[in-house]
Amino acid sequence: MAVWADCAVADPAKLADDFNGDGYRDLAIGMPQKAISGKEGAGAVLLTFGSAHGLTGKHVYITQNSTGIPGTAGYQDFFGSSLASGDLNHDGYADLLVGREDDTTAGTSDNGSVTVLWGGASPLRRGLALPMGQSYSGRMLGSDIAVGDFTGDSAPDVAVSGQTSLRLYSGTFTRTKAPAGIDVSDQDPTGIWNITAGDFDGGGKADLAVSAPEEDPYRNQGSGALWQLRGTSNGVSTRGVSVFGSKDYGVAPSSGIGETLLD
């Protein structure tokens, strides 16, 4: 029987993607289309380890059917559709967040979900599902994930986007419990897809950039739009949001601003 303990006095991981703590960056690879046990699109994640010679053949392969991982591989769950990392529980090992945007949860199709896979000397052998709050069809929470210190308390926070919502997790993460999370936007049929974190104004707190390539503040459908939500001591704020569209960047309509964002 394995017993997991959180180490409150450990230094945070020096690298946000060193999952086994050997001082080298590792690479997580999502395979959301992979069939598992005959379930098409169930999805999987492959972790390959870095070394003094670069990436190696040493790896860990994870699905929702793996021992210690929450959930069960299902048809078109798309486990691995989004990935992010950071030392969430401050134990000195990077942890991996895995989205499955089409996961059926609480009997609701395409609600989506996110799992934390814990780093360690033998990493990604245990996981924890983040609380998803309300459920509704087509939410697709887990479309994208960003990790940043939005509150300025030197602890990592997590933002998760879906097609119709944005959810923030701030507070203490342990191997057995995550913050409850709050929705920081209402249902929006235009969709919220891509997110990335960064201290864009130098204020000491991470801000959140949110893009929707099918939206545009100037009503040019398909031009795309970008919003900057600023970090505060209470987390990401929906007040004082900066909005940018095709006119601000001098690009033609239907440019699809925000199809991808640099993490």
Side-chain angles (χ1 to χ4, degrees):
M1 180 178 68
V3 178
W4 295 95
D6 290 290
C7 184
V9 297
D11 292 329
K14 294 180 179 180
L15 298 172
D17 47 8
D18 178 10
F19 300 102
N20 61 352
D22 64 356
Y24 297 101
R25 300 183 65 178
D26 305 314
L27 180 65
I29 304 167
M31 297 182 288
Q33 300 286 345
K34 185 170 178 56
I36 304 296
S37 300
K39 303 293 181 62
E40 295 182 6
V45 172
L46 179 70
L47 176 65
T48 181
F49 294 96
S51 72
H53 304 289
L55 294 175
T56 67
K58 181 182 177 183
H59 68 277
V60 175
Y61 175 76
I62 310 105
T63 76
Q64 288 183 273
N65 287 348
S66 299
T67 301
I69 306 304
T72 303
Y75 173 73
Q76 291 189 351
D77 279 352
F78 299 128
F79 182 73
S81 56
S82 60
L83 302 172
S85 63
D87 186 1
L88 300 185
N89 60 349
H90 280 246
D91 65 351
Y93 298 97
D95 308 304
L96 182 67
L97 294 112
V98 182
R100 46 193 192 277
E101 61 185 14
D102 278 7
D103 191 26
T104 296
T105 55
T108 305
S109 62
D110 299 337
N111 185 58
S113 59
V114 174
T115 300
V116 181
L117 303 180
W118 301 110
S122 298
L124 313 192
R125 302 298 189 183
R126 294 290 186 273
L128 177 71
L130 294 185
M132 290 291 101
Q134 62 178 321
S135 298
Y136 49 88
S137 182
R139 189 183 190 194
M140 298 180 70
L141 201 65
S143 296
D144 205 359
I145 310 168
V147 177
D149 180 10
F150 302 117
T151 60
D153 63 355
S154 299
D157 308 305
V158 176
V160 179
S161 70
Q163 185 174 6
T164 56
S165 65
L166 179 67
R167 191 167 177 85
L168 177 69
Y169 299 86
S170 295
T172 301
F173 287 84
T174 72
R175 287 181 179 266
T176 57
K177 187 176 181 180
I182 58 171
D183 289 322
V184 294
S185 68
D186 298 322
Q187 298 184 35
D188 181 355
T190 62
I192 295 174
W193 285 100
N194 300 315
I195 56 177
T196 193
D199 185 2
F200 302 117
D201 57 11
K205 301 178 181 66
D207 308 307
L208 188 68
V210 182
S211 67
E214 295 301 319
E215 185 57 85
D216 191 283
Y218 303 112
R219 303 192 182 281
N220 293 321
Q221 185 68 24
S223 294
L226 181 74
W227 294 265
Q228 179 187 344
L229 284 65
R230 288 175 171 79
T232 74
S233 57
N234 295 318
V236 172
S237 175
T238 55
R239 296 183 178 181
V241 175
S242 298
V243 186
F244 305 93
S246 57
K247 290 184 180 179
D248 301 294
Y249 296 127
V251 298
S254 302
S255 297
I257 294 170
E259 282 284 357
T260 56
L261 295 175
L262 176 66
D263 292 326

